[in-house]
Amino acid sequence: MRLDDTSAEFHEFFERHYAGLARFSFLLTGETDAADDLAADALIALWQRWDRLRKAEHPLAYARGVVANLARERIRGATRERRRISLFWSQGSQQERTPDVAAVVDVRAALSRLPFGKRACVILRHAFDLSEKDTARALGISVGAVKSQTSKGLAELERLLGVRATGDLAAERGSR
């Protein structure tokens, strides 16, 4: 395959999958700006390995795995930064922030409370309708781990949102 053909093939892959990768990134991080950046960074990494990846059976699964890893790194970095800031400010005052218990908890807020692995499994399985096998491939884990993490993640979402809210979501999903 000529360079122009390779470039055109990657461009087609980019056009077909960029929006989905950005959406996946957004659902993992909850940050609109980061979503585009992480999707673009993942596609740059793919382009650098495109000679090998274009022949792979599932280049999209690899791309999703790269996005998941980049999102995990971003979340860890943000967590470390929040801890540093918290330590700095806690030395000056012992104020406690109380959560707004009257606020309505939406699905995105509940998802952000899930541990990364559970969040990634739930998002890929339910927001992207991936099979357990495709989810496992994208995250580099076993199908059994996907089943376990998805089940535990959904149970935690039910707890966070309330049984009635998740029942409403299931009914809404069934009506589509």
Side-chain angles (χ1 to χ4, degrees):
M1 187 176 269
R2 294 184 0 243
L3 181 58
D4 290 340
D5 293 339
T6 302
S7 181
E9 184 181 10
F10 181 78
H11 182 71
E12 179 184 325
F13 181 88
F14 178 96
E15 291 294 324
R16 196 169 56 239
H17 298 295
Y18 175 78
L21 292 171
R23 181 172 160 234
F24 177 47
S25 175
F26 171 73
L27 290 169
L28 288 173
T29 64
E31 300 175 28
T32 305
D33 295 336
D36 288 333
D37 292 345
L38 294 177
D41 289 347
L43 286 163
I44 288 169
L46 258 67
W47 172 245
Q48 293 170 342
R49 296 170 187 81
W50 190 246
D51 286 343
R52 284 177 282 145
L53 290 174
R54 68 182 178 84
K55 299 173 190 171
E57 196 172 332
H58 302 286
L60 181 57
Y62 182 84
R64 287 182 177 134
V66 172
V67 168
N69 288 333
L70 291 171
R72 182 182 297 116
E73 290 171 17
R74 182 174 182 85
I75 291 167
R76 285 180 180 162
T79 301
R80 283 191 298 273
E81 184 64 21
R82 280 194 300 272
R83 285 184 186 141
R84 283 188 213 113
I85 291 169
S86 175
L87 284 172
F88 175 78
W89 286 108
S90 69
Q91 293 171 357
S93 73
Q94 294 298 326
Q95 274 186 1
E96 277 189 38
R97 292 188 305 169
T98 57
D100 182 6
V101 293
V104 176
V105 180
D106 63 6
V107 174
R108 199 177 78 206
L111 277 170
S112 71
R113 294 178 66 186
L114 292 179
F116 184 84
K118 291 177 187 174
R119 183 180 340 147
C121 286
V122 168
I123 290 168
L124 286 174
R125 292 281 293 127
H126 294 282
F128 285 84
D129 293 324
L130 290 188
S131 68
E132 291 165 343
K133 185 178 178 181
D134 289 339
T135 301
R137 189 178 297 118
L139 297 176
I141 59 177
S142 71
V143 171
V146 169
K147 290 178 182 181
S148 172
Q149 293 295 301
T150 303
S151 175
K152 290 175 182 177
L154 290 174
E156 198 164 333
L157 283 175
E158 281 185 11
R159 184 183 60 75
L160 291 169
L161 296 170
V163 175
R164 184 170 156 223
T166 55
D168 292 346
L169 289 174
E172 178 184 317
R173 187 177 30 202
S175 68
R176 284 190 240 162

